[in-house]
Amino acid sequence: MSDGDRTVVHLVRHGEVHNPGGVLYGRLPDFHLSDLGIQMAEVAAEWSRDRDITHLRCSPLERAQETMAPIAELRPELSVVTDGRVIEASNQFEGKVFNASSKTLLDPRNWWLLRNPLRPSWGERYTDIVARMRLAIADAAEAAKGHEALIVSHQLPIWMARCDAVGKSLVHDPRKRECRLASVTSFTLIDGRVTSVAYTEPAKDLLLEQKTKKFVAGA
């Protein structure tokens, strides 16, 4: 097998978003990285530094663009392709508050949206997310053929792409997605076909530090 047959596409989830109100922001504009999110983006960039990345692609949403920024700064010779196909999934709960005191799901007016979790009825079909992510990954792989590509996207689209690649059911418990902030899910393709998927968390220490601070503050 020649080097030209093997291509890797890395799907990077954006860093933490400044969202003190607990809004389900979805595709809403003006949701930016928090200070911690900016650190996460820098850690993701450092992870990418020595990778053979020849193509960059990104969701149009601010949090993704801001996560891509330090990665792109390491590669001034590359332009970033903004790709709407890797955007966050649409969601009819967008703009509603989901925090510890939220009663959004207890409101009878919202129950109709929960009628079919297999689709899901509250947002974009899982199968539609898979279809657009397949195309975006294929285009990125073609652009970086024989090398590596990096796409900054969002948790659900990345998880759907992974489930599709490994033959896992698209129906799932959102709490069990293995796709933490600033994580990297890497797809190895040979002759355009995904042959393996790997996962890593460059910002794991930052997340652990944040969790420890919250625990101490609450003690």
Side-chain angles (χ1 to χ4, degrees):
M1 180 180 70
S2 68
D3 290 341
D5 295 324
R6 181 180 182 276
T7 304
V8 181
V9 178
H10 306 287
L11 298 187
V12 178
R13 184 184 174 193
H14 61 79
E16 182 189 72
V17 174
H18 179 67
N19 182 24
V23 174
L24 196 157
Y25 39 77
R27 296 180 178 181
L28 293 175
D30 297 326
F31 278 88
H32 301 270
L33 294 184
S34 64
D35 290 341
L36 177 61
I38 292 171
Q39 293 180 57
M40 290 178 172
E42 292 169 349
V43 168
E46 189 59 33
W47 172 88
S48 77
R49 181 184 292 275
D50 296 325
R51 311 294 308 195
D52 181 27
I53 294 170
T54 61
H55 178 75
L56 300 175
R57 191 171 291 252
C58 189
S59 159
L61 297 176
E62 290 97 337
R63 58 191 183 273
Q65 296 282 331
E66 291 164 2
T67 301
M68 175 62 81
I71 298 170
E73 285 178 6
L74 294 176
R75 301 168 176 82
E77 74 282 4
L78 300 182
S79 59
V80 178
V81 176
T82 298
D83 190 340
R85 295 173 300 183
V86 301
I87 197 170
E88 179 62 281
S90 61
N91 192 312
Q92 293 187 62
F93 284 111
E94 189 176 276
K96 296 185 182 297
V97 173
F98 284 84
N99 56 30
S101 61
S102 172
K103 296 182 180 180
T104 300
L105 297 181
L106 299 178
D107 187 340
R109 292 172 296 182
N110 293 326
W111 292 351
W112 175 248
L113 298 177
L114 304 173
R115 67 191 182 278
N116 183 5
L118 304 182
R119 178 189 185 272
S121 51
W122 57 82
E124 186 177 5
R125 291 177 183 269
Y126 292 146
T127 52
D128 291 344
I129 299 172
V130 164
R132 60 180 171 85
M133 291 298 289
R134 275 185 183 179
L135 293 173
I137 291 171
D139 285 352
E142 181 62 28
K145 192 170 184 178
H147 302 277
E148 301 177 37
L150 187 148
I151 302 173
V152 178
S153 185
H154 307 268
Q155 186 189 64
L156 180 54
I158 294 172
W159 185 244
M160 288 292 92
R162 179 174 174 177
C163 289
D164 176 55
V166 301
K168 190 173 182 177
S169 173
L170 303 183
V171 180
H172 66 286
D173 181 344
R175 296 169 297 180
K176 296 182 179 180
R177 295 171 188 161
E178 189 181 35
C179 186
R180 301 182 77 185
L181 292 166
S183 63
V184 184
T185 304
S186 302
F187 297 72
T188 297
L189 297 92
I190 296 177
D191 295 332
R193 183 173 61 87
V194 177
T195 59
S196 65
V197 178
Y199 175 79
T200 188
E201 296 180 4
K204 184 176 182 178
D205 289 345
L206 287 175
L207 288 166
L208 181 60
E209 181 181 346
Q210 179 197 45
K211 186 176 182 180
T212 301
K213 286 180 178 178
K214 286 183 178 179
F215 175 79
V216 171

